[in-house]
Amino acid sequence: MRPGLRITNYKKRVVIAFAVDAGRVSILGVFHGGQDHEAMLRDDAEDAARQ
């Protein structure tokens, strides 16, 4: 979806999406297990590309 994107789970209920760029970690989202995090991250990436 985007360069440097990493996704991890926390306690099997939460998905944390983050990116690592040049020594900096950016939290892109914290999603409850029932949310469609892939669609939300895809929409954010497409919005950023349009700007």
Side-chain angles (χ1 to χ4, degrees):
M1 280 188 260
R2 64 189 291 168
L5 175 66
R6 298 180 186 182
I7 296 175
T8 190
N9 296 310
Y10 177 72
K11 293 190 178 184
K12 298 182 183 180
R13 293 181 165 209
V14 175
V15 174
I16 303 168
F18 62 99
V20 179
D21 299 308
R24 180 175 53 177
V25 177
S26 301
I27 304 297
L28 303 174
V30 179
F31 306 97
H32 188 269
Q35 292 179 296
D36 186 1
H37 65 278
E38 291 180 358
M40 290 181 190
L41 291 170
R42 191 176 320 107
D43 291 345
D44 286 348
E46 289 172 359
D47 289 345
R50 287 185 205 136
Q51 295 177 358

